[in-house]
Every structure is written in C-alpha cells, then in structure tokens.
Amino acid sequence: MPSDFIQAAAAVVGSEAVLTGAAAKPYCMDWRGRYSGDALAVVFPSSTLQVSEIVRLCAARQIAIVPQGGNTSLCGASVPLPQGTQVVLNLSRMNQIRAIDAINYTMTVEAGCKLAALYEAAEKTNRLFPLGLTAIAPHCEIGGNLSTNAGGIGVLRYGSARDLALGLEVVLPDGRIWNGLRSLRKDNTGYDLKHLFIGAEGTLGIITAAVLKLFPRPQSTATACVAIASPEAAVRLLAYIRATCGQALSGFEIISRNCLDLVFKHIEDTQEPFKRPYEWYLLIKIDDIQQNDDALRNGLLGFGGEVLAFSIASDTRQAENWWKLRKNISEAQKREGVSIKHDIAVPVSRVAEFIALASNALRGRFAGIRIVAFGHMGDGNIHYNASMPEAAQNSSFIEQYEHEVNRIVYDVVAKLGGSISAEHGLGQLKRCAIRDYKDPLELELMRTIKQALDPNGLMNPGKVI
Amino acid sequence: MPSDFIQAAAAVVGSEAVLTGAAAKPYCMDWRGRYSGDALAVVFPSSTLQVSEIVRLCAARQIAIVPQGGNTSLCGASVPLPQGTQVVLNLSRMNQIRAIDAINYTMTVEAGCKLAALYEAAEKTNRLFPLGLTAIAPHCEIGGNLSTNAGGIGVLRYGSARDLALGLEVVLPDGRIWNGLRSLRKDNTGYDLKHLFIGAEGTLGIITAAVLKLFPRPQSTATACVAIASPEAAVRLLAYIRATCGQALSGFEIISRNCLDLVFKHIEDTQEPFKRPYEWYLLIKIDDIQQNDDALRNGLLGFGGEVLAFSIASDTRQAENWWKLRKNISEAQKREGVSIKHDIAVPVSRVAEFIALASNALRGRFAGIRIVAFGHMGDGNIHYNASMPEAAQNSSFIEQYEHEVNRIVYDVVAKLGGSISAEHGLGQLKRCAIRDYKDPLELELMRTIKQALDPNGLMNPGKVI
C-alpha cells in the first residue's frame, strides 16, 4: 500500500515532487531542532486540485497527513511523528498571489506564499499587510501563519492572523474543496467556518488559499525607547499611552535588562540605548498618517516620574538600532545556550503580577536561576524563559527540572486567567500540558468538532488534540 | 409533559418569571411585525445557573428553545414558530456588568445587558464600546448582538460584534456551562470555539456572558457631508480617504437622493445639507485623538472634481443634523410604506457595480420601481430596498413579486461574490434563500457542526439551518 501511494502521488504531482528517504529527511526535522520524525513521503502539490487528489489518495489508504508550510513551527506542529507512516504535504509550491484588489484593501493568496513576498506585494500597491513576524518572514508561509493564528509585533493594532483573514479555501479530510474565498467585510449567513480552520494547526483540514485584509501604509512612524521603573508602571503607561495616542499605537514591547546583556554579549554592532543601564525597557511604536512624534512625546511626558528616561528616535536608523536589540533577543539567547521557553499571555492589566509571581516562585525554588523576560506587552504576551547561567549546570537543570519549571509558570498563568500558548500554538510540545489547564468541557467540545470534521483522525494526528 | 415543564421551570426561576398565554404573546412577535409565533412558555432566568437548569429541563423533555434578548431581530430569529411547542428563553434579567478592567480595556458582561447600558458603563471609565447600533441600542441586548454578529456604523474601524468579543460563556444544548470567559488578546491553545457560537443565532447554544474589548475614547471627531458624482466615484474616494486618513476613518455611509426625499417628507426638523440637491451623498466620519478636520479636508480637496460639494461640520450640532438624516432613513421608509428590503454586502470595490447592475435589472423588469439605497459603504454593505411609489400598487407588487425581486437582487450579489445577509443574519427570513446561494459543501459543513453540537436539534430550530 505505501509504495502504491508513492506511485499514485507521483502520478498526481510528478515524481520529482515526491521525496522519500534521505531527501525527505530535512522536512521531518523542526525549526528548533527539537523534533525529528520520519515520513512515508513528502509530497509537493502545486495546485488546490493536486492537494485535493493527494488527500483523497491518503483518505482511501487511511494514511495520516501532516500539512507543512515553511516548517517554522516552534511547537513541532509541522513535522511527522517518528513511525514513518505519515505523509508530509508541503504547500510551498502553491505560491501564487491570485489577486490584489487595492480598492477593496484585500489580496487573495495561496498557502505557500512566503510572508515576506506578501509584504512586498502589498507595498507595490501602496498597501500594508501587517502580520509582523519580521525575523522569520522570509521563511514562514501564510498557510502556516493562518493555521497557527500567528501573532507577532503588530497584533496590538492590527490583530493576529485570524483577524487578517476574510476568507479561506480549505481541502477537507475527505479531499473535497471548500471554497470560502470571500472578500467581504460583512457576511452573516451562517456559521463562520473559517475560524474553525484558522489556528487548528492542520488538524481539521488543509488551508490552501486565503483572502487577506490590507491596510493603508502609515506615512509617519514614531519610535520611543523608554526606561521604566517597573513592570507595574509599564502596565499603567500602556493604558495611558493607548488613551493618549489611540489606535495609532502599533507596538509596545517590554525588555528586561538581562535580555540586553545577552544581546550585547552575542550580537555585533549593538549599543546601550541610554548612558546608564536600567532594569526594564520599553519600545513603543506609533504609526500614523500624520506626524506624531509630538503625541508620543506628550504622552510620555504626561505620565510622570516612573518614566526614568526616554528618547524618541530622531531618524529611521536610530529606531532600527533599538529594534535590532529587540529582534535579536531570541538569537542571542540561542547563542548563549538552551533555555526553558514559555510563550504565555495574561490580561494586559496583570502582566506585572505575572512577572512578579512567576519570578518569585522560580527564584524561591531554584537558586541562581536566570529569567529572560520580554515580548508583546501590548497584547499581554510575554516570552518568559528560564535557564541556569553556567552551561554545564544548565543542561542537567533542563533535563531534570523542565517539567517542574513549566508547572510553576503555567500555574501562575492559570491563576491569572491566562494562556499557556499565546501565539505559538500547541503542536506536539504543549499537547499534553494543555489537558491540565483547559476546562475538560472545552477539550470535549474540541474533540467533538475534530470527530465531526475528521472522523478517521487523519489530519495531523498527534498535534493539538 | 408541557404543564410539568411549566411547573418545573417556575421552581427554578420563580413563577412570576414564567409567562404563558396572553402574557407570553408580546415575546412571540418580531420587531418588524412580520413573524408571529406561539410559545409553550416564556422563561426569564436571572443567572447562568438558571439558564443551565432550564435548558436541562427542556433537554430532558425534548422541548425546543428559542433564545431571546431584546427581540430586535430583523429576520425573525428570536421568536418561536407557530406550533406553540417551543420555549422562549429570554435573557433580559441577566443584565449585570460583572467586571470592567480599564487597564486591560475589557469588560465582562451578561447577555441581557442593553447595548446602551454598555456604552454608558464604558464611558464611565473613559473607554469606548464601539458597536454602533445607535437607533436600537436602548432595546437590543449584547447576547443577541453577539448571536447575530451585529454590525452597524462603526464596523469599518472597529469590526463587527464578533471582532469585539474576547471570550464567551455559553450554556450548551445539554445544559452544561462552557466557561470561555477569557480576557486575553492572544490565546492559541486549540480551536477557537467562541467563533462557532457568535453569529449562530442561538442554534448551537445560548450565550450567557461575554468579555468585550474596549477602546480609547476619541478626543476629536470630524464629520463631512459630501455630494459625490456617482457610486463609482464614491468607491474610489473611499480607498483614497483610507489611504489619506488611515484607521481614524470610522464611518463612510452612502445615501441616495430619494432616501433624503423620504426623510424630508416624514421626519420633522430636517434640512437639505447643501443649497441644491445632488444624486448621491456621503457622510464621512473621522475619530482620532488629535484634531483632524484638516486631514479630512485635505483628503477631500485632493481627490478632485468628482467631489461636487462638501462641508465639514463646524460643530457637533451640524454633524448631528447630518447624522439625523442618515439615521432616520429606515423610520422614514417605514412611514412611507412597506418595501422589499435587502441587507447585502459585496467587496467594497464592487459597490458601484452592484448598485448599477441591480438597479438596471429591477428597472428593466418593473417599470416605475422605486429603489432606496443607502448604508455602510465602507464595509461594502448596502441596504437596498425596493417598492412602488403608490401605496395601493405597492402592496400587490410586494405580494406578487417579492420573491422575484429578491431573486434578481441576490443573483447580482452572487455574481459579484457577495453575501445576501451582511449584518442581519438569516433567522427565518433567509433560511431558505441561502440554500440557493451558498456552496452545498458549506451548508453540509454547517449541518455537520449543528449535528455534532446539538444532536437533538433543540436549539432554535427553524432558524439559520
């Protein structure tokens, strides 16, 4: 049967578009190097019809499918399990921009389009596609962005991937094609099915194309680097700046001092933003049609003494230098060594409480632990990573205590009404943990939906649910 | 069994909160006076627990439930069918605002809160709740707004009801309570179930509470009244103003000349906005933190000759006078007589094409037909109503040709990739029509979901699906 599948698949997509053995291996390893599986084959369809036919072939043979885009999942969602019985269905060849309607502020794109290509296409028609995953934009693909409801730096203003999609085309588990490619701002004609597939990590069907919202290109950007007295003050400053600058506020990122220490240690050509060091920094970005340096300056001046220092970028270069610090935190951490990573969200009003409670709990339990905290404070989303400073000590620490560290952090998250995966999804990584933190009734509803739409369980089994 | 239900229900909610017979009648008629049903009883629970218990009583007896809020549905979604076997579950007593978190820009509210009460509560904490259904806000309730994914005047900037909900509490068809009241901006831990219940018009469960997004209160509003050469020019002006004024653009409404004629005829104290009449008008609204009269003025001046005349309101009173024209179109139409109403959406770029094609088709088929077109052009959503000017002729026209008029309009909508119900839902009114215009596969998926979540079909049967 498997060899029969490979032949049949080659007849659909061409034999050069079916990889097996060593050639398939790179598509079986995840981005972070944490999960390594094995596939019966990796298949590269180039059209929705081909996806449909491959899915039919799999359904007839009860072969499970792992949909894959740029394979940049941080949770192991896009790689096969180890048994070698699953087919990876890679959508990278489906990379056409089918239509751009600048007047409607929409574009219709195929799942395999690189995010960076979408930025460019939007820019060419004087529009903005605001899904802000700048670091991985050359690699990740929009089908994966939608399947994981990707977030990034622009969520505060523009929303997550889910909020940017008006319509979807989906190949269902039985191979039929649902054409929901509507480009409407309003449509109240029944259940909004697209929201089932967005964020489902390929467990209910395969997103093959989407209609995406576009936005006006901001004409003026103001960026401030701020030293702030505490996370508590940062929480209040955020609410204050929203009230002062309104929807123009497009970024509000928090960075702890030791993030910067790691960046200065590992990343070339990076500088202290102020003459003296501070414990907590913010990067605040305002995008608007009009000039708005003054609005941001007045907002920061009006807030009072807890703003310890601030500076508004005088030119693009200065702003870029500051953002370079923020964007290199993950890379600097990687060079420093492995850490136990968390991608959590709590209500924006409780971010400071989360940082205090989690840090106290971890420091109380593990003397000398290093906590690196940063992220999208404007969305209540903190990347909160723990490690031991000494490399040797660190690896045994992680091996021995990862589960306990997770438990401590997740318990604080749960206490504050938060989420243990704000923007990275569940994949394989958090598939089990979520069972301890989600209402059993909600898990049951998820299983009911899964059973109704994928009764044979062939869509990305072993992920999410 | 039915009398046993009434006794059992009274034991849960109190006998004064169970209405039958004549007392129940007002809750069985719809807002537009088009649907009149009959109920076994109307029950008024005052808490989620009571809703849960009433639903269990119904489930045990296989009694169907019609969830009801302010009963302002325009499609007959919130009234029972004629047989007198369904229970109306009215949520108006569940009207508590459970929490407001100004720092998190959220509030947690019960389903029976009047929309107007939510405006007030938000304002008290210097926040905005932007769901813009100003005319019916004193009557409609947030549970119904969410269940029908209500739209209104602010969608262009703030989105529909769906976009304003972060979390839900839902009583499921078996009476169990799903607590999804998360107040998070990001949460990627599985299927986003809230989107199933929002817009489902009570056919999958009963929304009992929600966490809603709040926004900064705009400090400055600019309103322009514009005479525009044609709908085509209006489409282009919209794209141009979006690019010029960005996300501050919060309203872009189109009004045809005969809408104003009806308003002047039927509504007291209304004035022509310009010295001479024009064929098409726009009301454009910009809300921002900063002054922006100039941005709007420059945008309109920059667009060119197709802007025939415009005026920026010099004070709130002038702006209110213009909005009075817009807001009274429905009332003026009602006083003029019955009409065949449509609530359609097409891509924003195709609004002018829709108006031209539908009007040509209708005028070609029905000599002397009067078309009243207005609405949320910024969302591609046009209220498009047809009637005959003479009252006597009109009633026989509607009786005889309503179906054919619908068919002509809907066919144009379908051709342009539009929706036959942009913001009012399906209810009873369009439940059959949608079967001709929606992909059969999508209808099948909807039935699959319905079957999975409400296998006994007890939630608002006869509506939507």
Side-chain angles (χ1 to χ4, degrees):
Chain A
M1 272 306 245
S3 67
D4 150 64
F5 168 80
I6 288 162
Q7 213 166 12
V12 172
V13 299
S15 57
E16 74 293 349
V18 181
L19 303 183
T20 56
K25 208 65 199 165
Y27 299 92
C28 302
M29 314 259 297
D30 84 317
W31 183 255
R32 287 176 64 193
R34 203 177 160 122
Y35 295 99
S36 178
D38 204 359
L40 175 60
V42 185
V43 183
F44 296 82
S46 65
S47 68
T48 305
L49 210 60
Q50 287 189 2
V51 174
S52 161
E53 290 182 38
I54 296 296
V55 172
R56 279 179 207 275
L57 293 180
C58 290
R61 291 162 179 77
Q62 294 285 297
I63 296 173
I65 297 173
V66 182
Q68 185 179 77
N71 197 16
T72 58
S73 169
L74 297 175
C75 296
S78 53
V79 290
L81 300 182
Q83 297 82 347
T85 57
Q86 304 184 324
V87 163
V88 173
L89 198 155
N90 185 298
L91 291 132
S92 304
R93 283 174 74 203
M94 285 193 64
N95 60 1
Q96 298 301 302
I97 294 174
R98 293 189 189 165
I100 297 193
D101 183 344
I103 299 280
N104 196 40
Y105 283 77
T106 51
M107 62 180 168
T108 307
V109 307
E110 293 185 346
C113 290
K114 302 274 187 225
L115 182 55
L118 300 185
Y119 295 159
E120 273 174 42
E123 191 170 353
K124 272 189 196 148
T125 54
N126 193 30
R127 298 289 179 258
L128 173 75
F129 182 62
L131 187 65
L133 309 173
T134 43
I136 59 161
H139 311 288
C140 65
E141 297 173 8
I142 190 66
N145 298 148
L146 290 165
S147 293
T148 57
N149 187 26
I153 275 172
V155 174
L156 175 60
R157 173 156 176 184
Y158 298 103
S160 300
R162 177 185 303 285
D163 305 298
L164 301 176
L166 290 177
L168 290 186
E169 179 186 80
V170 176
V171 172
L172 300 174
D174 61 6
R176 289 186 296 172
I177 300 165
W178 171 50
N179 182 348
L181 285 177
R182 289 182 280 264
S183 54
L184 304 173
R185 304 282 159 174
K186 288 184 179 171
D187 177 24
N188 277 348
T189 58
Y191 309 154
D192 199 337
L193 300 171
K194 69 174 177 288
H195 286 298
L196 273 178
F197 300 102
I198 297 171
E201 303 183 28
T203 61
L204 298 177
I206 301 171
I207 295 173
T208 49
V211 179
L212 303 173
K213 290 185 197 167
L214 299 175
F215 292 82
R217 292 190 76 74
Q219 306 297 308
S220 159
T221 293
T223 305
C225 184
V226 178
I228 188 85
S230 65
E232 291 78 10
V235 163
R236 278 179 281 112
L237 178 62
L238 170 60
Y240 183 83
I241 290 286
R242 278 197 80 182
T244 314
C245 297
Q247 281 193 281
L249 179 62
S250 65
F252 196 101
E253 301 279 316
I254 192 167
I255 302 171
S256 66
R257 176 67 215 175
N258 54 6
C259 293
L260 290 195
D261 290 337
L262 288 177
V263 170
F264 298 142
K265 180 172 169 191
H266 293 287
I267 308 292
E268 271 177 28
D269 208 16
T270 50
Q271 296 91 32
E272 287 278 359
F274 300 106
K275 283 181 189 153
R276 51 156 289 203
Y278 295 92
E279 273 305 292
W280 294 97
Y281 298 82
L282 301 170
L283 280 179
I284 307 178
K285 188 157 166 267
I286 310 258
D287 287 312
D288 208 345
I289 300 303
Q290 302 170 27
Q291 279 290 329
N292 39 35
D293 294 30
D294 285 349
L296 184 52
R297 181 173 289 111
N298 293 337
L300 288 167
L301 286 170
F303 184 67
E306 286 167 317
V307 169
L308 304 176
F310 78 89
S311 172
I312 308 265
S314 55
D315 54 26
T316 318
R317 207 167 132 256
Q318 189 174 16
E320 276 170 8
N321 282 340
W322 292 339
W323 283 105
K324 185 177 180 183
L325 303 177
R326 166 66 184 85
K327 289 173 185 170
N328 274 295
I329 295 172
S330 292
E331 181 58 28
Q333 274 190 98
K334 203 170 170 179
R335 295 189 193 176
E336 178 75 5
V338 192
S339 62
I340 304 172
K341 287 168 181 282
H342 303 99
D343 162 43
I344 68 94
V346 292
V348 175
S349 49
R350 311 196 80 172
V351 167
E353 217 174 331
F354 165 76
I355 291 175
L357 289 173
S359 304
N360 287 345
L362 287 177
R363 291 202 176 105
R365 173 70 183 83
F366 303 107
I369 192 170
R370 174 163 65 187
I371 293 160
V372 174
F374 64 100
H376 317 299
M377 181 155 178
D379 315 313
N381 176 196
I382 301 295
H383 299 305
Y384 187 85
N385 305 329
S387 58
M388 286 294 173
E390 306 302 321
Q393 187 194 9
N394 190 41
S395 60
S396 74
F397 166 71
I398 291 180
E399 200 174 322
Q400 202 170 347
Y401 296 113
E402 176 161 19
H403 187 74
E404 189 178 346
V405 169
N406 288 344
R407 170 71 52 178
I408 288 172
V409 172
Y410 293 167
D411 283 353
V412 174
V413 168
K415 191 180 158 192
L416 300 178
S419 166
I420 68 166
S421 184
E423 57 174 17
H424 296 166
L426 296 177
Q428 302 179 56
L429 185 64
K430 298 181 186 170
R431 182 181 174 232
C432 293
I434 195 64
R435 294 176 194 158
D436 297 330
Y437 292 96
K438 227 178 171 79
D439 178 358
L441 177 55
E442 185 162 342
L443 291 166
E444 184 187 319
L445 284 170
M446 284 172 55
R447 281 190 295 267
T448 301
I449 299 292
K450 170 76 175 174
Q451 174 65 27
L453 295 185
D454 180 24
N456 297 317
L458 295 179
M459 302 307 300
N460 216 4
K463 319 291 165 60
V464 181
I465 194 168
Chain B
M1 272 308 243
S3 67
D4 149 66
F5 168 79
I6 288 163
Q7 215 166 10
V12 173
V13 298
S15 58
E16 74 293 349
V18 182
L19 303 182
T20 57
K25 207 65 198 165
Y27 299 92
C28 300
M29 313 259 297
D30 83 316
W31 182 255
R32 287 176 63 193
R34 206 179 157 121
Y35 295 97
S36 177
D38 205 359
L40 175 61
V42 185
V43 182
F44 297 82
S46 65
S47 69
T48 305
L49 211 60
Q50 287 189 1
V51 174
S52 161
E53 290 182 37
I54 296 295
V55 172
R56 279 180 207 275
L57 292 179
C58 290
R61 291 159 180 78
Q62 295 285 295
I63 296 172
I65 296 174
V66 182
Q68 185 179 77
N71 196 16
T72 58
S73 169
L74 297 175
C75 297
S78 52
V79 291
L81 300 182
Q83 296 83 348
T85 56
Q86 303 184 324
V87 164
V88 173
L89 198 155
N90 184 300
L91 292 132
S92 303
R93 283 175 75 203
M94 285 194 64
N95 60 359
Q96 298 302 302
I97 294 173
R98 293 190 189 163
I100 296 192
D101 183 344
I103 299 279
N104 196 40
Y105 282 78
T106 50
M107 60 180 169
T108 308
V109 307
E110 292 185 345
C113 290
K114 303 276 187 222
L115 182 54
L118 300 185
Y119 294 161
E120 273 173 42
E123 192 170 352
K124 272 188 195 148
T125 54
N126 194 30
R127 298 289 180 258
L128 173 75
F129 182 61
L131 188 65
L133 308 174
T134 44
I136 58 162
H139 311 287
C140 66
E141 298 173 7
I142 191 66
N145 299 147
L146 290 164
S147 292
T148 58
N149 186 26
I153 275 172
V155 173
L156 175 60
R157 174 157 175 182
Y158 298 103
S160 300
R162 178 185 303 285
D163 304 299
L164 301 175
L166 291 177
L168 290 186
E169 179 186 80
V170 176
V171 172
L172 300 173
D174 62 6
R176 289 187 295 173
I177 300 164
W178 171 50
N179 182 348
L181 285 176
R182 290 182 279 263
S183 55
L184 304 173
R185 305 280 161 175
K186 288 184 179 171
D187 177 25
N188 278 348
T189 59
Y191 309 155
D192 198 337
L193 300 171
K194 69 173 176 289
H195 286 297
L196 274 178
F197 299 103
I198 296 172
E201 302 183 27
T203 61
L204 298 177
I206 301 172
I207 296 173
T208 49
V211 180
L212 303 173
K213 291 184 195 168
L214 299 175
F215 291 83
R217 292 191 77 73
Q219 306 297 309
S220 158
T221 291
T223 305
C225 184
V226 178
I228 188 85
S230 64
E232 292 77 10
V235 163
R236 278 179 282 112
L237 178 62
L238 170 59
Y240 182 83
I241 291 286
R242 279 197 79 181
T244 313
C245 297
Q247 282 193 283
L249 179 62
S250 64
F252 196 101
E253 300 280 314
I254 192 167
I255 302 172
S256 65
R257 176 67 215 176
N258 54 6
C259 294
L260 290 196
D261 290 337
L262 288 177
V263 170
F264 298 143
K265 180 174 168 190
H266 292 287
I267 309 292
E268 272 176 27
D269 208 18
T270 51
Q271 296 90 33
E272 286 279 357
F274 300 105
K275 284 182 188 155
R276 52 154 290 201
Y278 294 92
E279 273 304 292
W280 294 97
Y281 298 81
L282 301 169
L283 280 179
I284 308 178
K285 188 156 166 267
I286 309 260
D287 287 311
D288 209 344
I289 300 304
Q290 303 170 26
Q291 278 292 328
N292 40 34
D293 294 30
D294 285 349
L296 184 52
R297 181 173 289 113
N298 293 337
L300 288 167
L301 286 171
F303 184 66
E306 285 166 318
V307 169
L308 304 176
F310 78 89
S311 173
I312 309 265
S314 53
D315 54 26
T316 317
R317 205 165 134 259
Q318 189 174 18
E320 276 170 8
N321 283 339
W322 292 339
W323 282 107
K324 186 177 179 184
L325 303 177
R326 166 67 184 85
K327 288 174 185 168
N328 274 295
I329 294 173
S330 291
E331 181 58 28
Q333 273 190 99
K334 203 170 171 180
R335 296 190 193 175
E336 178 75 6
V338 192
S339 63
I340 304 172
K341 287 168 181 282
H342 303 100
D343 161 44
I344 68 93
V346 292
V348 175
S349 49
R350 310 196 81 173
V351 167
E353 216 174 332
F354 165 76
I355 291 175
L357 289 173
S359 305
N360 287 343
L362 287 178
R363 292 201 175 108
R365 173 71 183 84
F366 303 106
I369 193 170
R370 175 163 63 188
I371 293 160
V372 173
F374 65 99
H376 317 297
M377 181 154 179
D379 315 313
N381 175 195
I382 300 297
H383 299 305
Y384 187 85
N385 305 331
S387 58
M388 285 295 172
E390 306 302 318
Q393 188 196 9
N394 190 42
S395 61
S396 74
F397 167 71
I398 290 180
E399 198 173 321
Q400 202 170 347
Y401 296 115
E402 177 161 17
H403 187 75
E404 191 177 344
V405 169
N406 288 344
R407 170 72 53 179
I408 290 172
V409 172
Y410 293 166
D411 282 354
V412 174
V413 168
K415 191 179 158 193
L416 300 178
S419 166
I420 67 166
S421 185
E423 57 174 14
H424 295 165
L426 297 176
Q428 301 179 59
L429 184 65
K430 297 180 185 170
R431 181 181 176 231
C432 292
I434 196 63
R435 294 177 193 158
D436 297 331
Y437 292 97
K438 229 179 169 77
D439 178 358
L441 178 56
E442 186 162 341
L443 290 167
E444 185 187 319
L445 285 170
M446 284 172 56
R447 283 190 294 268
T448 302
I449 299 292
K450 170 75 175 172
Q451 175 65 28
L453 295 186
D454 180 25
N456 297 317
L458 296 179
M459 301 307 300
N460 214 5
K463 319 291 166 58
V464 182
I465 195 169

